[in-house]
Amino acid sequence: MSVALRHTDDGPVLRNLEQLLAAKEIVITCGSGGVGKTTTAAALGAMAAAELGGKVLVLTVDPARRLANALGLERFGNVETRVPTELFEAAGVEPRGELWAAMLDTKESWDALVRTHAPDVETRDAILANPLYQNVTGKFVQSHDYIAMERLYEIHASGRYDLIIVDTPPTRHAIDFLEAPERMADFFSSRLLRWLIAPYRNRLISAASKPFYKVADTILGAQFLEDIAEFFILFQTMYDGFVERAKAVTRTLEDRRTTFVVVSTLESAPVHEAEFFIRALDDRGFHLGAVVLNKVLPDYLLDPSAAASASTMVERSAVVAGKLSPELGEPAVVGRVLHEVGESFLNYRVVATREAEQRAELGRSPDVVATAPYLDADVFDLGGLLRLGATIWR
Amino acid sequence: MIDLLDRRLLFVTGKGGVGKTSIAAALAMLAAEQGKRTLVCEVDAKGNLADFLECGPTAFEPIEVAPGLSAMAMDTEDSLKEYLSLQLKVPLLARVGPLAKTFDFVATAAPGVKEILTVGKLCWEVRERNYDLVVVDAPATGHVVAQLAAPQAINDLVKVGRIREQTRWMVDILSDPAQTGAVIVTAPEEMPVSEALELAERVEDETTVELAAVIVNKVLPELFGRGEEEVFELLGDPPHVDDLAVAVGGPVEPVLDGARLAVNLRRTRAQHLERLRTELPAGPELVYVPYLFTRTHGLRATRTLGESLAAELGV
């Protein structure tokens, strides 16, 4: 695949994450659930602030509480908060720049959007109070994706940060959020929508005569349709703005200052999702900067001579135990230990072999593939983030 | 607590990455092998279910994938058409296509409605007794609660109209533990456990469905028994480690490192498991399924999972 070539015609080939993050203004991490996407985004942010300098923002979605704590997010949430330099110092690092973080709160972000862009106070209040608005913005999956992109656009346009790392919402298909701006624009400018609310705008048209309304009326009840119509009529006042901004967001995503980092583990479901996503990026002409593989098993599991040793330990555990010093313990116990150790190695070897195949598949496309091993402990503070970041940085 | 497989409708849910679909497939397969006419339904049609059953692509129309076991995938447009013709006796319009698209549009804007179609379809299969057990591979987290609460929620949003009348019988099925149960699949890791605990609370607070079981997938085996870990530690030190290399006739350091990794992984995960055990409210059955080293998908994997589940559930 030649995705990377298309975007490097005016710059050096970027060989690792450090170079990638130094060259870009927006880094978007994506991937399926459970692969460590948010942690990776935070780790990259920490490394960028520490090593590259400047003002770095990590925009997260639904982080684990401990990770949120590590970034000082428990109290502030939606508002951008600076990660205190003391936290870096506690980890033994003097950062060259500043790390900021925010947790995307969908409801608050939508409310902020409405407050900013509603044409007048009455409309603003009517929308905020509308029960459908609460539902749509709270539960409508695509609204979640859309608002993340909106927030990104707003932040980038403000020029407040040198680097923005965006952790994407966990959607059913990771690709959904890429299409969210377009879909939202379609949503608001569609003829279907105008047709739907037309009877309620123009009392002269008789709703009862249209078959759709008959059926919908039967299913949902007339009041409900009126409620929906009112909601969309209110929102219509912000249409043009939505459409404009949706287009602007899409342009930002396509810009060469934006890059995507696909995060995955080497289990088959995440790998399939990652492959699908890489193709989708290519289809849309977005830049695939890197693939980050988390929880990668160590290479020694693939070493054939180690495997031979492990087999010996399993098959001839008693014999081998007999050759060892009695200081170790009872030969029967030693034999059992050897057997267990050997068997465990062979079990993990099977997994590692499978994962190596998956890795070969994924590693074909991007220029940068970074791998992170299982860490000794879960990441729950800035030190842990920096340790994780260090394994994938160069 | 009524046995899982003796119920009529099971919603299997859990955070992405824990193996929810594989467990749903395994439960369904187990039920079918027990002689129950079983339907397994994928709600977010990603095609994963087909991988675990090694069947063709799933569709709204169920296909028989094994004796007594059928599989299907939810589809808004198809379920709407079925709903209109069966439930409301509304004559099908000549152009049902555009109507369904519009409905999809409106339904997405008014949540509860789309969920109703999904839950409605499933409850309907239970009511019609086409199957003894319906296993639902439900979407991860938030949405499943919306689905389970939908029949009640729709009542708040929709004041009149046939849809409101239609939800009473659904509520009856969902709130009867003899018929319906929720199953949360999780794994012994930080986020999955947190999500599982949160989900358990939400199912309890926001729905009338009983949480029947929490299935912990990918549980790693204990490597060493009593007194063995000390031996292992000594083994790693000179002169024993050198003696071992000689006795084995090859490198042993990587093999020992592998064991250390295994112990470490197990230990970290055990902490999360402990948290789950302590914080999970009493009621749901806690079931453990071991990590499969040799296979991660396909029919063989599903069968192996089914065997573990059978042992745990005492089937």
Side-chain angles (χ1 to χ4, degrees):
Chain A
M1 287 174 74
S2 58
V3 174
L5 292 175
R6 209 183 294 160
H7 296 266
T8 58
D9 48 36
D10 54 356
V13 173
L14 303 163
R15 294 196 190 289
N16 54 38
L17 282 167
E18 179 179 36
Q19 291 177 357
L20 183 68
L21 265 64
K24 302 294 177 183
E25 291 176 17
I26 298 176
V27 174
I28 303 180
T29 62
C30 33
S32 53
V35 299
K37 203 159 34 85
T38 307
T39 311
T40 301
L44 288 176
M47 291 302 288
E51 308 260 324
L52 300 176
K55 261 180 96 174
V56 179
L57 172 72
V58 174
L59 185 58
T60 67
V61 174
D62 198 22
R65 177 168 299 131
R66 288 204 297 183
L67 183 63
N69 284 347
L71 297 176
L73 287 185
E74 183 154 50
R75 270 180 302 141
F76 296 99
N78 208 39
V79 173
E80 294 145 43
T81 310
R82 180 163 178 190
V83 176
T85 323
E86 297 86 69
L87 290 186
F88 277 95
E89 283 157 15
V93 168
E94 213 179 289
R96 293 181 61 191
E98 298 173 12
L99 178 64
W100 291 71
M103 196 165 72
L104 187 76
D105 181 312
T106 310
K107 182 175 168 7
E108 276 183 47
S109 298
W110 269 108
D111 288 354
L113 196 66
V114 170
R115 284 196 192 94
T116 311
H117 296 288
D120 51 57
V121 174
E122 288 80 26
T123 309
R124 180 196 73 192
D125 290 344
I127 292 175
L128 292 176
N130 184 299
L132 272 150
Y133 165 75
Q134 312 282 350
N135 268 320
V136 168
T137 57
K139 298 178 195 165
F140 185 4
V141 171
Q142 281 166 11
S143 91
H144 195 52
D145 297 333
Y146 177 74
I147 207 67
M149 290 295 107
E150 259 278 349
R151 186 83 187 274
L152 168 63
Y153 172 72
E154 183 263 309
I155 293 172
H156 184 248
S158 75
R160 295 199 285 280
Y161 298 96
D162 299 297
L163 174 66
I164 306 165
I165 300 175
V166 185
D167 172 36
T168 54
T171 49
R172 177 165 64 90
H173 289 297
I175 199 61
D176 284 350
F177 89 89
L178 284 185
E179 296 177 344
E182 266 172 61
R183 287 209 191 133
M184 197 52 93
D186 290 345
F187 188 84
F188 280 104
S189 58
S190 76
R191 280 185 328 215
L192 218 49
L193 181 60
R194 294 179 205 278
W195 181 67
L196 177 69
I197 66 180
Y200 298 91
R201 284 230 303 258
N202 186 347
R203 304 284 177 229
L204 294 176
I205 298 174
S206 163
S209 62
K210 298 207 187 287
F212 166 75
Y213 291 107
K214 257 211 185 75
V215 176
D217 197 285
T218 307
I219 299 172
L220 300 167
Q223 181 59 44
F224 187 58
L225 275 184
E226 233 178 87
D227 286 345
I228 291 180
E230 190 207 43
F231 167 68
F232 283 119
I233 288 169
L234 289 173
F235 241 84
Q236 189 193 18
T237 57
M238 305 197 301
Y239 272 178
D240 293 337
F242 269 107
V243 172
E244 266 317 298
R245 276 195 309 282
K247 288 186 185 152
V249 170
T250 307
R251 276 198 302 273
T252 306
L253 294 182
E254 291 166 351
D255 191 285
R256 62 184 173 78
R257 290 167 294 170
T258 300
T259 191
F260 289 78
V261 171
V262 173
V263 183
S264 183
T265 57
L266 288 170
E267 289 176 311
S268 58
V271 165
H272 287 154
E273 184 76 14
E275 282 174 334
F276 173 77
F277 201 82
I278 289 170
R279 275 198 303 277
L281 287 176
D282 188 40
D283 289 345
R284 286 163 181 73
F286 292 146
H287 183 248
L288 171 65
V291 166
V292 173
L293 300 171
N294 277 329
K295 302 188 202 174
V296 174
L297 289 170
D299 286 339
Y300 60 70
L301 287 171
L302 297 171
D303 177 7
S305 43
S309 300
S311 298
T312 307
M313 284 162 70
V314 169
E315 287 152 23
R316 299 172 51 222
S317 54
V319 171
V320 173
K323 295 183 184 171
L324 300 174
S325 160
E327 271 175 24
L328 278 171
E330 288 204 26
V333 177
V334 175
R336 266 205 312 276
V337 169
L338 291 175
H339 186 100
E340 283 152 6
V341 167
E343 197 167 58
S344 173
F345 184 91
L346 294 173
N347 278 338
Y348 277 95
R349 178 183 165 77
V350 170
V351 182
T353 309
R354 202 163 53 223
E355 295 196 342
E357 283 163 17
Q358 302 281 24
R359 185 167 162 176
E361 288 285 317
L362 266 186
R364 273 183 313 182
S365 26
D367 276 347
V368 179
V369 178
T371 63
Y374 277 103
L375 296 178
D376 283 345
D378 292 329
V379 171
F380 59 88
D381 64 8
L382 193 57
L385 286 174
L386 289 166
R387 271 191 300 279
L388 173 63
T391 64
I392 56 177
W393 198 234
R394 291 200 186 96
Chain B
M1 177 112 351
I2 295 145
D3 283 348
L4 263 191
L5 298 185
D6 286 340
R7 303 191 197 217
R8 311 276 331 280
L9 179 57
L10 290 177
F11 287 90
V12 180
T13 186
K15 177 178 160 51
V18 298
K20 164 184 69 79
T21 303
S22 63
I23 294 286
L27 276 173
M29 190 167 271
L30 184 59
E33 279 163 14
Q34 296 287 312
K36 297 184 197 291
R37 294 167 306 155
T38 309
L39 171 68
V40 58
C41 174
E42 192 168 22
V43 173
D44 277 345
K46 234 170 152 172
N48 273 359
L49 186 62
D51 285 341
F52 290 106
L53 298 174
E54 281 178 30
C55 59
T58 47
F60 189 69
E61 191 58 41
I63 49 171
E64 196 172 35
V65 300
L69 177 61
S70 299
M72 68 168 279
M74 273 306 292
D75 176 283
T76 312
E77 186 163 333
D78 287 340
S79 64
L80 174 63
K81 282 183 195 168
E82 193 178 72
Y83 181 79
L84 288 179
S85 60
L86 288 171
Q87 302 290 359
L88 298 186
K89 302 189 176 31
V90 170
L92 275 180
L93 306 175
R95 299 181 308 148
V96 139
L99 169 67
K101 277 207 177 65
T102 311
F103 189 83
D104 193 55
F105 188 83
V106 167
T108 313
V113 179
K114 206 168 185 177
E115 280 79 2
I116 273 289
L117 282 176
T118 306
V119 173
K121 163 70 177 173
L122 297 163
C123 288
W124 186 74
E125 294 290 345
V126 170
R127 188 173 79 167
E128 292 299 297
R129 301 193 174 272
N130 294 326
Y131 303 95
D132 298 315
L133 173 64
V134 177
V135 178
V136 187
D137 177 17
T141 61
H143 299 120
V144 71
V145 177
Q147 284 189 350
L148 298 180
Q152 234 110 24
I154 202 75
N155 282 342
D156 299 334
L157 212 51
V158 179
K159 297 291 176 262
V160 290
R162 300 266 278 275
I163 256 200
R164 190 167 197 243
E165 293 158 27
Q166 296 300 315
T167 59
R168 174 87 251 146
W169 62 274
M170 290 184 213
V171 172
D172 289 342
I173 290 176
L174 293 176
S175 28
D176 179 7
Q179 298 197 71
T180 307
V183 175
I184 296 174
V185 180
T186 187
E189 287 166 41
E190 181 179 5
M191 284 296 275
V193 165
S194 298
E195 288 269 350
L197 290 170
E198 194 189 303
L199 247 184
E201 202 179 310
R202 289 192 67 197
V203 168
E204 169 80 20
D205 292 343
E206 296 174 39
T207 79
T208 55
V209 176
E210 180 177 77
L211 178 59
V214 173
I215 298 180
V216 188
N217 198 14
K218 307 189 194 183
V219 176
L220 288 175
E222 184 86 73
L223 192 51
F224 296 123
R226 205 170 265 288
E228 292 172 0
E229 192 156 359
E230 292 82 15
V231 172
F232 173 67
E233 271 159 37
L234 282 176
L235 204 51
D237 294 334
H240 306 295
V241 63
D242 308 304
D243 292 343
L244 183 60
V246 169
V248 164
V252 297
E253 203 58 71
V255 185
L256 297 177
D257 281 340
R260 288 181 197 109
L261 174 68
V263 168
N264 207 36
L265 283 175
R266 157 88 189 182
R267 193 150 289 157
T268 328
R269 292 184 185 193
Q271 287 165 2
H272 299 302
L273 200 49
E274 193 50 43
R275 182 163 68 101
L276 178 69
R277 260 199 293 261
T278 350
E279 294 183 32
L280 195 64
E285 214 177 327
L286 195 50
V287 175
Y288 302 107
V289 176
Y291 178 78
L292 292 186
F293 285 96
T294 50
R295 206 166 296 272
T296 56
H297 58 280
L299 214 45
R300 184 83 193 92
T302 310
R303 282 240 154 73
T304 313
L305 287 174
E307 282 160 18
S308 303
L309 285 168
E312 283 279 297
L313 296 172
V315 185

